[in-house]
Coordinates of all heavy atoms in Angstrom, one line a residue:
M292 N -25.6 4.0 29.6 CA -24.2 4.4 29.5 C -24.2 5.8 28.9 O -24.8 6.1 27.9 CB -23.4 3.4 28.6 CG -22.0 3.9 28.4 SD -21.0 2.9 27.3 CE -21.8 1.5 26.8
S293 N -23.3 6.6 29.5 CA -23.1 8.0 29.0 C -22.2 8.0 27.8 O -21.4 7.1 27.6 CB -22.6 8.9 30.1 OG -21.3 8.6 30.4
W294 N -22.2 9.1 27.0 CA -21.2 9.2 25.9 C -19.8 9.3 26.5 O -18.9 8.8 25.8 CB -21.6 10.4 25.0 CG -22.8 10.2 24.2 CD1 -23.9 10.9 24.2 CD2 -22.9 9.2 23.2 NE1 -24.8 10.4 23.3 CE2 -24.2 9.4 22.6 CE3 -22.1 8.2 22.6 CZ2 -24.7 8.6 21.6 CZ3 -22.6 7.4 21.6 CH2 -23.9 7.6 21.1
Q295 N -19.6 9.9 27.6 CA -18.3 10.0 28.2 C -17.8 8.7 28.6 O -16.6 8.3 28.4 CB -18.3 11.0 29.4 CG -16.9 11.3 29.9 CD -16.1 12.0 28.9 OE1 -16.5 13.0 28.4 NE2 -14.9 11.5 28.6
T296 N -18.6 7.8 29.1 CA -18.2 6.4 29.5 C -17.8 5.7 28.2 O -16.9 4.9 28.2 CB -19.4 5.7 30.2 OG1 -19.7 6.4 31.4 CG2 -19.0 4.3 30.5
Y297 N -18.6 5.9 27.1 CA -18.3 5.3 25.8 C -16.9 5.7 25.3 O -16.1 4.8 24.9 CB -19.4 5.6 24.8 CG -19.1 4.9 23.5 CD1 -19.5 3.6 23.3 CD2 -18.6 5.6 22.4 CE1 -19.3 2.9 22.1 CE2 -18.3 4.9 21.2 CZ -18.7 3.6 21.1 OH -18.5 2.9 19.9
V298 N -16.6 7.0 25.4 CA -15.3 7.4 25.0 C -14.2 6.8 25.9 O -13.2 6.3 25.4 CB -15.2 9.0 25.0 CG1 -13.7 9.5 24.9 CG2 -16.0 9.6 23.9
D299 N -14.4 6.9 27.2 CA -13.4 6.5 28.1 C -13.1 4.9 28.1 O -12.0 4.5 28.2 CB -13.7 6.9 29.6 CG -13.7 8.4 29.8 OD1 -13.1 9.1 29.0 OD2 -14.4 8.8 30.7
E300 N -14.2 4.2 28.0 CA -14.1 2.7 28.2 C -14.0 2.0 26.8 O -13.6 0.8 26.8 CB -15.2 2.2 29.0 CG -15.1 2.7 30.5 CD -16.2 2.2 31.4 OE1 -17.0 1.3 30.9 OE2 -16.3 2.7 32.5
H301 N -14.5 2.6 25.8 CA -14.6 1.8 24.5 C -13.7 2.4 23.4 O -13.0 1.7 22.7 CB -16.0 1.8 24.0 CG -16.9 1.0 24.9 ND1 -16.9 -0.4 25.0 CD2 -17.8 1.4 25.9 CE1 -17.8 -0.8 25.9 NE2 -18.3 0.3 26.5
L302 N -13.6 3.7 23.3 CA -12.8 4.3 22.3 C -11.3 4.4 22.7 O -10.4 4.2 21.9 CB -13.3 5.7 21.9 CG -14.7 5.7 21.2 CD1 -15.0 7.2 20.8 CD2 -14.7 4.9 20.0
M303 N -11.1 4.6 24.0 CA -9.7 4.8 24.4 C -9.1 3.5 25.0 O -8.0 3.6 25.5 CB -9.7 5.9 25.5 CG -10.1 7.3 25.1 SD -9.2 7.9 23.7 CE -7.6 8.1 24.4
C304 N -9.7 2.4 24.8 CA -9.2 1.2 25.3 C -8.1 0.6 24.3 O -8.1 1.0 23.2 CB -10.3 0.1 25.5 SG -11.0 -0.4 23.9
E305 N -7.3 -0.2 24.8 CA -6.2 -0.9 24.0 C -6.8 -2.1 23.3 O -7.5 -2.9 23.9 CB -5.0 -1.2 24.9 CG -3.9 -1.8 24.1 CD -2.7 -2.0 24.9 OE1 -2.4 -1.2 25.8 OE2 -2.0 -3.0 24.7
I306 N -6.5 -2.2 22.0 CA -6.9 -3.4 21.2 C -5.7 -3.9 20.5 O -5.1 -3.1 19.6 CB -8.1 -3.0 20.2 CG1 -9.3 -2.5 21.0 CG2 -8.4 -4.2 19.3 CD1 -10.4 -2.0 20.1
D307 N -5.3 -5.1 20.7 CA -4.2 -5.7 20.1 C -2.9 -4.8 20.1 O -2.2 -4.7 19.1 CB -4.5 -6.0 18.6 CG -5.6 -7.1 18.5 OD1 -5.8 -7.9 19.4 OD2 -6.4 -7.0 17.5
G308 N -2.7 -4.2 21.3 CA -1.5 -3.4 21.4 C -1.6 -2.0 20.8 O -0.7 -1.2 20.9
N309 N -2.8 -1.6 20.3 CA -3.0 -0.3 19.7 C -4.1 0.5 20.4 O -4.9 -0.2 21.0 CB -3.4 -0.4 18.2 CG -2.4 -1.1 17.4 OD1 -1.2 -0.7 17.3 ND2 -2.7 -2.2 16.7
H310 N -4.0 1.8 20.4 CA -5.0 2.6 21.1 C -5.0 4.0 20.4 O -4.0 4.4 19.9 CB -4.8 2.7 22.6 CG -3.6 3.4 23.0 ND1 -2.3 2.8 23.0 CD2 -3.4 4.7 23.4 CE1 -1.4 3.7 23.4 NE2 -2.1 4.9 23.6
L311 N -6.1 4.6 20.5 CA -6.2 6.0 20.1 C -5.5 6.9 21.0 O -5.4 6.7 22.2 CB -7.7 6.4 20.0 CG -8.6 5.7 19.0 CD1 -10.0 6.2 19.2 CD2 -8.1 6.0 17.6
S312 N -5.0 8.0 20.5 CA -4.3 9.0 21.4 C -5.4 9.9 22.0 O -5.2 10.5 23.1 CB -3.2 9.8 20.7 OG -3.8 10.4 19.6
S313 N -6.5 10.2 21.3 CA -7.6 11.0 21.8 C -8.8 10.7 21.0 O -8.7 10.2 19.9 CB -7.2 12.5 21.8 OG -6.9 12.9 20.5
A314 N -10.0 11.1 21.5 CA -11.2 10.9 20.8 C -12.3 11.8 21.3 O -12.2 12.3 22.5 CB -11.7 9.4 21.0
A315 N -13.2 12.1 20.5 CA -14.4 13.0 20.9 C -15.6 12.6 20.1 O -15.5 12.0 19.0 CB -14.0 14.5 20.6
I316 N -16.7 12.9 20.7 CA -18.0 12.7 20.0 C -18.7 14.1 19.9 O -18.8 14.7 21.0 CB -18.9 11.7 20.7 CG1 -18.3 10.3 20.8 CG2 -20.3 11.6 20.1 CD1 -19.0 9.3 21.6
V317 N -19.0 14.5 18.7 CA -19.5 15.9 18.5 C -20.8 15.7 17.8 O -21.0 15.0 16.9 CB -18.5 16.7 17.6 CG1 -19.0 18.1 17.4 CG2 -17.1 16.7 18.2
G318 N -21.8 16.5 18.4 CA -23.2 16.5 17.8 C -23.2 17.2 16.5 O -22.3 18.0 16.1
H319 N -24.3 17.0 15.7 CA -24.5 17.6 14.4 C -24.5 19.1 14.5 O -24.3 19.8 13.5 CB -25.7 17.1 13.7 CG -25.6 15.7 13.2 ND1 -24.9 15.4 12.0 CD2 -26.0 14.5 13.7 CE1 -24.9 14.1 11.8 NE2 -25.6 13.5 12.8
D320 N -24.8 19.6 15.7 CA -24.9 21.1 15.9 C -23.5 21.7 16.3 O -23.4 22.8 16.5 CB -25.9 21.5 16.9 CG -25.6 20.9 18.3 OD1 -24.7 20.1 18.4 OD2 -26.4 21.2 19.2
G321 N -22.5 20.8 16.4 CA -21.1 21.2 16.7 C -20.9 21.2 18.2 O -19.8 21.5 18.7
S322 N -21.9 20.8 19.0 CA -21.6 20.7 20.5 C -20.8 19.4 20.8 O -21.0 18.4 20.2 CB -23.0 20.7 21.2 OG -23.7 19.5 20.9
I323 N -20.0 19.5 21.8 CA -19.1 18.4 22.2 C -19.9 17.6 23.2 O -20.3 18.1 24.3 CB -17.8 18.9 22.8 CG1 -17.0 19.7 21.7 CG2 -17.0 17.7 23.3 CD1 -15.8 20.4 22.2
W324 N -20.2 16.3 22.9 CA -20.9 15.4 23.8 C -20.0 14.8 24.8 O -20.3 14.6 25.9 CB -21.7 14.4 23.0 CG -22.8 14.9 22.2 CD1 -23.1 16.2 22.0 CD2 -23.7 14.1 21.4 NE1 -24.2 16.3 21.1 CE2 -24.6 15.0 20.7 CE3 -23.8 12.8 21.2 CZ2 -25.6 14.6 19.9 CZ3 -24.8 12.3 20.3 CH2 -25.7 13.2 19.7
A325 N -18.8 14.4 24.3 CA -17.8 13.7 25.2 C -16.5 13.8 24.5 O -16.4 13.9 23.3 CB -18.2 12.3 25.4
Q326 N -15.4 13.8 25.3 CA -14.1 13.8 24.8 C -13.1 13.2 25.8 O -13.3 13.3 27.0 CB -13.7 15.2 24.4 CG -13.6 16.2 25.5 CD -13.3 17.6 25.0 OE1 -13.2 17.8 23.8 NE2 -13.1 18.5 25.9
S327 N -12.0 12.7 25.3 CA -11.0 12.2 26.1 C -10.3 13.4 26.8 O -10.3 14.5 26.3 CB -9.9 11.4 25.3 OG -9.4 12.2 24.3
S328 N -9.6 13.1 27.9 CA -9.0 14.2 28.7 C -8.0 14.9 28.0 O -7.8 16.1 28.3 CB -8.5 13.6 30.0 OG -7.4 12.7 29.7
N329 N -7.3 14.3 27.0 CA -6.2 15.0 26.3 C -6.6 15.5 24.9 O -5.8 15.8 24.1 CB -5.0 14.1 26.2 CG -5.3 12.8 25.5 OD1 -6.5 12.4 25.3 ND2 -4.3 12.1 25.0
F330 N -8.0 15.5 24.6 CA -8.4 16.0 23.3 C -8.2 17.5 23.2 O -8.4 18.2 24.1 CB -9.9 15.7 23.1 CG -10.3 15.7 21.7 CD1 -10.2 14.5 20.9 CD2 -10.8 16.8 21.1 CE1 -10.5 14.5 19.6 CE2 -11.2 16.8 19.8 CZ -11.0 15.7 19.0
P331 N -7.6 17.9 22.1 CA -7.3 19.4 21.9 C -8.6 20.2 22.0 O -9.7 19.8 21.7 CB -6.7 19.5 20.6 CG -6.9 18.2 19.9 CD -7.3 17.2 20.9
Q332 N -8.4 21.5 22.5 CA -9.5 22.4 22.5 C -9.9 22.8 21.1 O -9.1 23.3 20.4 CB -9.0 23.6 23.4 CG -10.1 24.7 23.6 CD -11.2 24.1 24.6 OE1 -10.9 23.3 25.4 NE2 -12.4 24.7 24.5
F333 N -11.2 22.6 20.8 CA -11.7 23.0 19.5 C -11.7 24.5 19.3 O -12.0 25.3 20.3 CB -13.1 22.5 19.3 CG -13.3 21.1 19.0 CD1 -13.9 20.2 19.9 CD2 -12.9 20.6 17.8 CE1 -14.0 18.9 19.7 CE2 -13.1 19.2 17.5 CZ -13.6 18.4 18.4
K334 N -11.5 25.0 18.1 CA -11.8 26.4 17.7 C -13.1 26.3 16.9 O -13.3 25.3 16.2 CB -10.7 26.9 16.9 CG -9.4 27.0 17.7 CD -8.2 27.5 16.8 CE -6.9 27.5 17.6 NZ -5.8 27.9 16.7
Q335 N -13.9 27.4 16.9 CA -15.2 27.4 16.2 C -15.0 27.1 14.7 O -15.8 26.3 14.1 CB -15.9 28.7 16.4 CG -17.3 28.6 15.8 CD -18.2 27.5 16.5 OE1 -18.2 27.4 17.7 NE2 -18.8 26.7 15.6
E336 N -14.0 27.6 14.0 CA -13.8 27.4 12.6 C -13.4 25.9 12.3 O -13.7 25.4 11.3 CB -12.7 28.3 12.0 CG -11.3 28.2 12.6 CD -11.1 29.2 13.8 OE1 -12.0 29.7 14.4 OE2 -9.9 29.4 14.1
E337 N -12.8 25.3 13.3 CA -12.5 23.8 13.1 C -13.7 23.0 13.2 O -13.9 22.1 12.4 CB -11.5 23.4 14.2 CG -10.1 24.1 14.1 CD -9.2 23.9 15.3 OE1 -9.7 23.5 16.4 OE2 -8.0 24.1 15.1
I338 N -14.6 23.4 14.1 CA -15.9 22.7 14.2 C -16.7 22.9 13.0 O -17.3 22.0 12.4 CB -16.7 23.1 15.5 CG1 -16.0 22.7 16.8 CG2 -18.1 22.6 15.5 CD1 -16.5 23.2 18.0
N339 N -16.7 24.1 12.5 CA -17.5 24.4 11.2 C -16.9 23.6 10.1 O -17.7 23.1 9.3 CB -17.4 25.9 10.9 CG -18.0 26.8 11.9 OD1 -18.8 26.3 12.7 ND2 -17.7 28.1 11.9
A340 N -15.6 23.4 10.0 CA -15.1 22.6 8.9 C -15.4 21.1 9.0 O -15.7 20.5 8.0 CB -13.5 22.8 8.9
I341 N -15.5 20.6 10.2 CA -15.9 19.3 10.5 C -17.3 19.1 10.1 O -17.7 18.1 9.4 CB -15.6 18.9 12.0 CG1 -14.1 18.8 12.2 CG2 -16.3 17.5 12.3 CD1 -13.7 18.7 13.7
M342 N -18.2 20.0 10.5 CA -19.6 19.9 10.2 C -19.8 19.9 8.7 O -20.7 19.2 8.2 CB -20.4 21.0 10.9 CG -20.3 21.1 12.4 SD -20.9 19.7 13.5 CE -20.5 18.2 12.9
N343 N -19.0 20.8 8.0 CA -19.1 20.9 6.6 C -18.7 19.5 5.9 O -19.3 19.1 4.9 CB -18.3 22.0 6.0 CG -18.5 22.2 4.6 OD1 -19.6 22.4 4.1 ND2 -17.4 22.1 3.8
D344 N -17.7 18.8 6.5 CA -17.3 17.6 5.9 C -18.4 16.5 6.1 O -18.5 15.6 5.2 CB -16.0 17.1 6.5 CG -15.4 16.0 5.7 OD1 -14.8 16.3 4.7 OD2 -15.5 14.8 6.1
F345 N -19.2 16.6 7.1 CA -20.3 15.6 7.2 C -21.3 15.9 6.1 O -21.9 15.0 5.6 CB -20.9 15.7 8.6 CG -20.1 15.0 9.6 CD1 -19.6 15.6 10.7 CD2 -19.9 13.6 9.5 CE1 -18.8 15.0 11.7 CE2 -19.1 12.9 10.5 CZ -18.6 13.6 11.6
A346 N -21.6 17.2 5.8 CA -22.5 17.6 4.8 C -22.0 17.3 3.4 O -22.7 17.0 2.5 CB -22.9 19.0 5.0
E347 N -20.7 17.6 3.2 CA -20.0 17.4 2.0 C -18.8 16.5 2.2 O -17.7 17.0 2.2 CB -19.6 18.7 1.4 CG -20.8 19.7 1.1 CD -20.3 21.0 0.6 OE1 -19.2 21.1 0.0 OE2 -21.0 22.0 1.0
P348 N -19.0 15.2 2.3 CA -17.8 14.3 2.6 C -16.7 14.5 1.6 O -16.9 14.7 0.4 CB -18.4 12.9 2.4 CG -19.9 13.1 2.7 CD -20.2 14.4 2.2
G349 N -15.5 14.5 2.1 CA -14.3 14.7 1.3 C -13.8 16.1 1.3 O -12.7 16.4 0.8
S350 N -14.6 17.1 1.9 CA -14.1 18.5 1.8 C -12.9 18.8 2.7 O -12.2 19.7 2.4 CB -15.3 19.4 2.2 OG -15.7 19.2 3.6
L351 N -12.6 18.0 3.7 CA -11.5 18.2 4.5 C -10.2 17.6 3.9 O -9.1 18.0 4.3 CB -11.7 17.6 5.9 CG -12.5 18.3 6.9 CD1 -12.7 17.5 8.2 CD2 -12.0 19.7 7.2
A352 N -10.3 16.6 3.1 CA -9.2 15.8 2.6 C -8.1 16.7 1.9 O -6.9 16.6 2.2 CB -9.6 14.7 1.6
P353 N -8.5 17.7 1.1 CA -7.4 18.5 0.4 C -6.7 19.4 1.4 O -5.5 19.7 1.2 CB -8.2 19.3 -0.6 CG -9.5 18.7 -0.8 CD -9.8 18.0 0.5
T354 N -7.4 19.9 2.4 CA -6.7 20.9 3.3 C -6.3 20.3 4.6 O -5.4 20.8 5.3 CB -7.7 22.0 3.7 OG1 -8.9 21.5 4.3 CG2 -8.1 22.8 2.4
G355 N -6.8 19.2 5.0 CA -6.5 18.5 6.3 C -7.5 18.9 7.3 O -8.3 19.8 7.2
L356 N -7.5 18.1 8.4 CA -8.4 18.3 9.6 C -7.6 19.0 10.6 O -6.5 18.6 11.0 CB -8.8 16.9 10.1 CG -9.4 16.8 11.4 CD1 -10.8 17.5 11.4 CD2 -9.6 15.3 11.8
Y357 N -8.1 20.1 11.1 CA -7.4 20.9 12.2 C -8.2 20.7 13.5 O -9.4 20.9 13.5 CB -7.3 22.4 11.8 CG -6.3 22.6 10.7 CD1 -6.6 22.5 9.4 CD2 -5.0 23.0 11.1 CE1 -5.6 22.7 8.4 CE2 -4.1 23.3 10.1 CZ -4.4 23.1 8.8 OH -3.4 23.4 7.8
L358 N -7.4 20.4 14.5 CA -8.0 20.3 15.9 C -7.0 21.0 16.8 O -5.9 20.7 16.9 CB -8.1 18.9 16.3 CG -9.1 18.0 15.5 CD1 -9.0 16.6 15.9 CD2 -10.5 18.5 15.7
G359 N -7.5 22.1 17.5 CA -6.7 22.8 18.4 C -5.5 23.4 17.7 O -4.4 23.6 18.3
G360 N -5.7 23.8 16.4 CA -4.6 24.4 15.6 C -3.6 23.4 15.0 O -2.7 23.8 14.3
T361 N -3.7 22.1 15.3 CA -2.8 21.1 14.8 C -3.4 20.5 13.6 O -4.6 20.1 13.6 CB -2.5 20.1 15.9 OG1 -1.9 20.7 17.0 CG2 -1.5 19.0 15.3
K362 N -2.6 20.3 12.5 CA -3.1 19.7 11.3 C -3.0 18.2 11.3 O -2.0 17.7 11.7 CB -2.3 20.3 10.1 CG -2.9 19.7 8.8 CD -2.1 20.4 7.6 CE -2.6 19.9 6.3 NZ -1.9 20.5 5.2
Y363 N -4.1 17.5 10.9 CA -4.1 16.1 10.8 C -4.5 15.7 9.4 O -5.3 16.4 8.7 CB -5.1 15.5 11.7 CG -4.8 15.7 13.2 CD1 -5.1 16.9 13.8 CD2 -4.1 14.8 13.9 CE1 -4.8 17.1 15.1 CE2 -3.8 15.0 15.3 CZ -4.2 16.2 15.9 OH -3.9 16.4 17.2
M364 N -3.9 14.6 8.9 CA -4.2 14.1 7.6 C -5.5 13.3 7.7 O -5.7 12.5 8.7 CB -3.1 13.2 7.1 CG -3.4 12.6 5.7 SD -2.0 11.6 5.1 CE -2.0 10.2 6.3
V365 N -6.5 13.6 6.8 CA -7.7 12.8 6.9 C -7.5 11.4 6.3 O -7.0 11.3 5.2 CB -8.8 13.6 6.1 CG1 -10.1 12.7 6.1 CG2 -9.1 14.9 6.7
I366 N -7.8 10.4 7.1 CA -7.6 9.0 6.6 C -9.0 8.4 6.5 O -10.0 9.0 6.7 CB -6.7 8.2 7.5 CG1 -7.2 8.2 9.0 CG2 -5.3 8.8 7.4 CD1 -6.4 7.3 9.9
Q367 N -9.1 7.1 6.2 CA -10.3 6.4 6.0 C -11.4 6.7 7.0 O -11.0 7.0 8.2 CB -10.1 4.9 6.0 CG -9.7 4.4 7.4 CD -9.4 2.9 7.3 OE1 -9.4 2.3 6.3 NE2 -9.3 2.3 8.5
G368 N -12.6 6.7 6.7 CA -13.7 7.0 7.6 C -15.0 6.5 6.9 O -14.9 5.8 5.9
E369 N -16.1 6.9 7.4 CA -17.4 6.5 6.9 C -18.0 7.9 6.5 O -18.5 8.6 7.4 CB -18.2 5.8 7.9 CG -17.6 4.4 8.3 CD -18.3 3.8 9.5 OE1 -19.6 3.9 9.5 OE2 -17.6 3.2 10.3
P370 N -18.0 8.2 5.2 CA -18.5 9.5 4.8 C -19.9 9.8 5.4 O -20.8 9.0 5.3 CB -18.6 9.3 3.2 CG -17.6 8.3 2.9 CD -17.6 7.4 4.1
G371 N -20.0 11.0 6.0 CA -21.2 11.5 6.6 C -21.4 11.0 8.0 O -22.3 11.4 8.7
Y372 N -20.5 10.1 8.5 CA -20.7 9.5 9.8 C -19.4 9.6 10.7 O -19.5 9.9 11.9 CB -21.1 8.0 9.7 CG -22.4 7.8 9.1 CD1 -22.5 7.5 7.8 CD2 -23.6 8.0 9.9 CE1 -23.8 7.3 7.2 CE2 -24.8 7.9 9.3 CZ -24.9 7.5 7.9 OH -26.1 7.4 7.4
V373 N -18.2 9.3 10.1 CA -17.0 9.2 10.9 C -15.9 9.9 10.1 O -15.7 9.6 8.9 CB -16.6 7.8 11.2 CG1 -15.2 7.7 11.9 CG2 -17.6 7.0 12.1
I374 N -15.1 10.7 10.8 CA -13.9 11.3 10.2 C -12.8 10.9 11.0 O -12.8 11.1 12.3 CB -14.0 12.9 10.2 CG1 -15.2 13.4 9.4 CG2 -12.7 13.5 9.6 CD1 -15.5 14.8 9.6
R375 N -11.8 10.3 10.4 CA -10.6 9.9 11.1 C -9.4 10.7 10.6 O -9.2 10.9 9.4 CB -10.3 8.4 10.9 CG -11.3 7.5 11.6 CD -11.0 6.1 11.4 NE -12.0 5.2 12.0 CZ -13.0 4.6 11.3 NH1 -13.1 4.8 10.0 NH2 -13.9 3.9 11.9
G376 N -8.6 11.1 11.6 CA -7.4 11.9 11.2 C -6.2 11.3 11.9 O -6.2 10.6 12.9
K377 N -5.0 11.5 11.2 CA -3.8 11.1 11.8 C -2.7 12.2 11.7 O -2.6 12.8 10.7 CB -3.3 9.8 11.0 CG -2.0 9.3 11.5 CD -1.7 8.0 10.8 CE -0.4 7.4 11.4 NZ -0.1 6.1 10.7
K378 N -2.0 12.4 12.8 CA -1.0 13.4 12.8 C 0.2 12.9 12.1 O 0.7 11.8 12.3 CB -0.6 13.8 14.2 CG 0.3 15.0 14.3 CD 0.4 15.4 15.8 CE 1.4 16.5 15.9 NZ 1.6 16.9 17.3
V379 N 0.7 13.6 11.1 CA 1.8 13.2 10.3 C 2.9 14.2 10.5 O 2.7 15.4 10.4 CB 1.4 13.1 8.8 CG1 2.6 12.6 8.0 CG2 0.2 12.1 8.7
M380 N 4.1 13.7 10.6 CA 5.3 14.6 10.7 C 6.2 14.3 9.5 O 6.4 13.2 9.1 CB 6.1 14.4 12.0 CG 5.3 14.8 13.2 SD 6.3 14.9 14.6 CE 6.2 13.3 15.2
F381 N 6.7 15.4 8.9 CA 7.5 15.3 7.7 C 8.9 15.8 8.1 O 9.0 16.8 8.8 CB 7.0 16.1 6.6 CG 5.7 15.6 6.0 CD1 4.5 16.2 6.5 CD2 5.7 14.6 5.1 CE1 3.3 15.7 6.0 CE2 4.5 14.1 4.6 CZ 3.3 14.7 5.1
F382 N 9.9 15.1 7.7 CA 11.3 15.5 8.0 C 12.0 15.8 6.7 O 11.9 14.9 5.8 CB 12.1 14.5 8.8 CG 11.5 14.3 10.2 CD1 10.6 13.3 10.4 CD2 11.8 15.1 11.2 CE1 10.0 13.1 11.6 CE2 11.3 15.0 12.5 CZ 10.4 13.9 12.7
I383 N 12.7 16.8 6.5 CA 13.4 17.1 5.3 C 14.9 17.2 5.6 O 15.3 17.9 6.5 CB 12.9 18.5 4.7 CG1 11.4 18.4 4.4 CG2 13.8 18.8 3.4 CD1 10.8 19.7 3.9
R384 N 15.6 16.4 4.9 CA 17.1 16.4 5.1 C 17.7 17.3 4.1 O 17.3 17.3 2.9 CB 17.7 15.0 5.0 CG 17.3 14.1 6.1 CD 18.1 12.9 5.9 NE 18.7 12.6 7.2 CZ 19.4 11.5 7.5 NH1 19.6 10.6 6.5 NH2 19.9 11.3 8.6
S385 N 18.7 18.0 4.5 CA 19.4 18.9 3.5 C 20.8 18.4 3.3 O 21.3 17.5 4.0 CB 19.4 20.3 4.0 OG 20.0 20.4 5.3

């Protein structure tokens, strides 16, 4: 099975009514092995920050995870192995 098949058939599948909006598998060198069709285009500085978080787990938490210029809140993961992010919107009423 290819990494693309793994993303398409295992990561993007529906489980108990829930599903990921996008997913990617990135090598330790920053190369993209596979990604969902709607995964945002990476910028080099974003890949560098992700690679740094694998080397120094928790480094993204204070600033957030950026993908394609969009900020995501870093949520639970497996330090050094998996980084999970969630897009959060804040509304301020005046």
